[in-house]
């Protein structure tokens, strides 16, 4: 099975194309909610939900009925993808990966639909992208697409911008040349990452840098909301409120893009430099329950960083070794292996009571992670 790679571009649809995208979002949302309601009813009455065959036949009938004939106006593949997403949501629920599926709302600031490439109806033509039912759409071609295009997801963000994510089936990636180097990484908040070779990667604190500006703009948004509520006006008709809402959304979007760019560049650099990367398996969800650190932990996005390391290592023939989250990396001396026990977080210098080694606490932890990772790697078949 060939690996998949996604490319994300900003698109610039004209007014008619924008209207059609919004219409498709609404139709897909209707199909999803309709089958979710039927699924709930079927489960209550018969003790079982729907399956793919039943929903496919029902959707075909709905297109022929007078009251729902308008479903024929949009891309049929996008409608099919809606109930496929519902099936996937239930499968994840039964596997305890997420909560019970909920109804989609048109008030959700992010709307999207997915369509497949059939008979070359998704293609790149110069600086335009050909999309089903939309025709040629201008897009920001920041890089060339490699491989066979399989599907595309058209997304509308709260900032009022449109994006397309193109998933491609690409030939196997060529393994990177061996560097015969390994590294242990201790993730933190003060420094984003501390490497076993002593290098520190600074925490960029993207949210904190934008926090004051975000607070100011959000206060403006709240005032305009209260004014509209006092006058009894519909928020969709309040142009000043909508402008301010998009302004706040753009600031949040900028933070997200900055973080994504940072994580991608750092993970790629590490994959290119090291054959083996040892990293802790952190319980991020549990750590987020600490309300004093929740904002800082969310801002650093450890989970996203580890996920990027994982799939890039798989692409380029590198090895990622995850250390058990209960491994006491900050309590062991990397030189002699003596365990001194847990020390206060305020003490940032490690001093071994057995051999007298003095070292930065985080660097000592990253070295222990590397040692444990290499030990586990030797035990693998």
């Amino acid at each position: 099975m060939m690996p998949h790679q996604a490319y994300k571009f900003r698109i610039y649809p004209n007014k008619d194309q924008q209207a059609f995208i919004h219409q498709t979002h609404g139709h897909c949302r209707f199909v999803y909610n309709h089958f979710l309601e039927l699924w709930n009813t079927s489960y209550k009455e018969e003790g079982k939900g729907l399956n793919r065959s039943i929903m496919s036949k029902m959707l075909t009938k709905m297109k022929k009925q007078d009251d729902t004939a308008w479903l024929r106006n949009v891309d049929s593949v996008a409608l099919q993808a809606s109930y496929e997403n519902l099936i996937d949501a239930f499968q994840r629920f039964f596997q305890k990966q997420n909560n019970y599926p909920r109804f989609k709302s048109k008030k959700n600031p992010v709307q999207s639909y997915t369509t497949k490439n059939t008979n070359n109806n998704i293609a790149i033509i110069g600086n335009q992208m050909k999309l089903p039912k939309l025709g040629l759409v201008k897009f920001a071609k920041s890089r060339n697409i490699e491989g066979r295009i399989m599907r595309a997801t058209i997304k509308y963000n709260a900032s009022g911008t449109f994006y397309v994510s193109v998933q491609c089936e690409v030939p196997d990636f060529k393994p990177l040349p061996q560097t015969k180097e390994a590294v242990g990484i201790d993730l933190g908040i003060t420094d984003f990452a501390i490497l076993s070779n002593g290098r520190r990667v600074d925490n960029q604190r993207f949210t904190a840098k934008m926090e004051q500006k975000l607070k100011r703009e959000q206060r403006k948004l709240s005032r305009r909301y209260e004014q509209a509520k006092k006058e009894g006006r519909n928020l969709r008709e309040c142009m000043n409120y909508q402008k301010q809402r998009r302004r706040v959304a753009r600031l949040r979007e900028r933070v997200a893009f900055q973080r994504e760019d940072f994580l991608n560049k750092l993970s790629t650099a590490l994959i290119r430099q090291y054959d083996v990367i040892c990293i802790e398996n952190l319980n991020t969800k549990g750590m987020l329950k600490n309300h004093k650190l929740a904002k800082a932990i969310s801002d650093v996005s450890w989970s996203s960083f580890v996920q990027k390391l994982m799939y890039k290592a798989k692409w380029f023939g590198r090895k990622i070794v995850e250390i058990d989250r209960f491994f006491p990396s900050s309590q062991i001396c990397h030189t002699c292996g003596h365990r001194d026990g847990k020390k206060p977080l305020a003490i940032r210098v490690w001093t071994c009571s057995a051999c007298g080694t003095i070292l930065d606490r985080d660097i000592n932890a990253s070295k222990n992670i590397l040692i444990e990772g290499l030990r586990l790697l030797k035990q693998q078949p």
Side-chain angles (χ1 to χ4, degrees), residues 20-32 35 59 63 71-86 104 112-118 121-122 131-134 151-154:
F20 185 83
I21 290 173
H22 290 311
Q23 184 183 34
T24 307
H25 286 155
H27 287 28
C28 291
R29 186 173 58 246
F30 170 82
V31 170
Y32 183 95
F35 284 121
L59 180 60
K63 291 180 181 179
L71 288 172
R72 296 198 296 259
N73 297 336
V74 300
D75 184 10
S76 60
V77 178
L79 298 180
Q80 293 168 7
S82 295
Y83 66 72
E84 291 288 349
N85 290 338
L86 179 62
K104 293 183 181 292
S112 67
Y113 73 87
T114 300
T115 184
K116 292 182 181 179
N117 183 12
T118 54
N121 59 355
I122 302 176
L131 293 170
K133 293 282 188 176
L134 286 173
R151 56 179 59 86
T153 299
I154 293 87

Side-chain angles (χ1 to χ4, degrees), residues 46-205:
E46 303 176 11
K48 61 180 182 179
L50 307 178
N51 57 42
R52 184 177 285 101
S53 176
I54 292 175
M55 288 189 282
S56 178
K57 292 177 182 178
M58 292 180 68
L59 180 60
T60 303
K61 290 181 181 179
M62 288 168 62
K63 291 180 181 179
K64 297 178 181 179
Q65 295 173 357
D66 293 338
D67 55 341
T68 52
W70 40 267
L71 288 172
R72 296 198 296 259
N73 297 336
V74 300
D75 184 10
S76 60
V77 178
L79 298 180
Q80 293 168 7
S82 295
Y83 66 72
E84 291 288 349
N85 290 338
L86 179 62
I87 293 172
D88 181 65
F90 271 106
Q91 288 177 347
R92 291 176 181 273
F93 168 70
F94 293 135
Q95 294 170 4
K96 299 183 179 180
Q97 294 179 354
N98 60 3
N99 296 325
Y100 192 86
R102 296 184 299 176
F103 290 99
K104 293 183 181 292
S105 171
K106 64 180 180 181
K107 295 181 180 179
N108 193 319
V110 178
Q111 302 284 341
S112 67
Y113 73 87
T114 300
T115 184
K116 292 182 181 179
N117 183 12
T118 54
N119 298 323
N120 202 32
N121 59 355
I122 302 176
I124 306 298
I125 303 174
N127 65 340
Q128 293 181 313
M129 184 177 292
K130 179 184 175 184
L131 293 170
K133 293 282 188 176
L134 286 173
L136 295 176
V137 183
K138 291 182 180 179
F139 79 111
K141 190 177 181 181
S142 55
R143 60 184 300 188
N144 293 324
I145 291 179
E146 298 178 2
R148 183 176 69 88
I149 297 176
M150 298 180 63
R151 56 179 59 86
T153 299
I154 293 87
K155 181 182 292 186
Y156 174 74
N157 283 359
S159 59
T161 53
F162 294 85
Y163 292 89
V164 61
S165 295
V166 181
Q167 187 183 51
C168 299
E169 189 178 55
V170 298
D172 291 336
F173 292 92
K174 295 180 180 179
L176 292 171
Q178 297 290 312
T179 62
K180 297 182 180 180
E181 293 187 29
V183 69
I185 303 177
D186 181 39
L187 298 175
I189 294 177
T190 304
D191 294 299
F192 176 79
I194 301 92
L195 277 57
S196 56
N197 58 11
R199 179 191 168 194
R200 293 176 178 271
V201 180
D202 186 36
N203 180 5
Q204 301 295 314
R205 293 179 175 81

Side-chain angles (χ1 to χ4, degrees), residues 312-328:
K312 290 179 183 180
K314 188 176 180 180
W315 282 354
F316 298 112
R318 301 306 200 197
K319 291 184 179 179
I320 303 294
V321 183
E322 283 193 287
I323 310 302
D324 188 89
R325 66 185 61 170
F326 299 109
F327 176 70

Side-chain angles (χ1 to χ4, degrees), residues 278-295:
C278 307
I279 197 163
E280 284 183 299
N281 180 11
L282 297 173
N283 180 19
T284 307
K285 287 186 178 180
M287 298 171 74
L288 286 173
K289 293 178 182 178
N290 183 342
H291 299 296
K292 293 182 180 179
L293 297 175
K295 184 186 290 187

Side-chain angles (χ1 to χ4, degrees), residues 303-358:
S303 298
S304 179
F305 174 66
V306 173
Q307 185 182 31
K308 293 179 189 302
L309 283 177
M310 290 288 188
Y311 74 74
K312 290 179 183 180
K314 188 176 180 180
W315 282 354
F316 298 112
R318 301 306 200 197
K319 291 184 179 179
I320 303 294
V321 183
E322 283 193 287
I323 310 302
D324 188 89
R325 66 185 61 170
F326 299 109
F327 176 70
S329 59
S330 60
Q331 302 176 27
I332 301 174
C333 176
H334 79 279
T335 304
C336 66
H338 176 72
R339 183 170 178 177
D340 266 344
K342 193 172 182 180
K343 296 185 179 181
L345 292 176
I347 300 177
R348 306 309 301 172
V349 178
W350 166 267
T351 304
C352 180
S353 60
C355 67
T357 298
I358 300 176

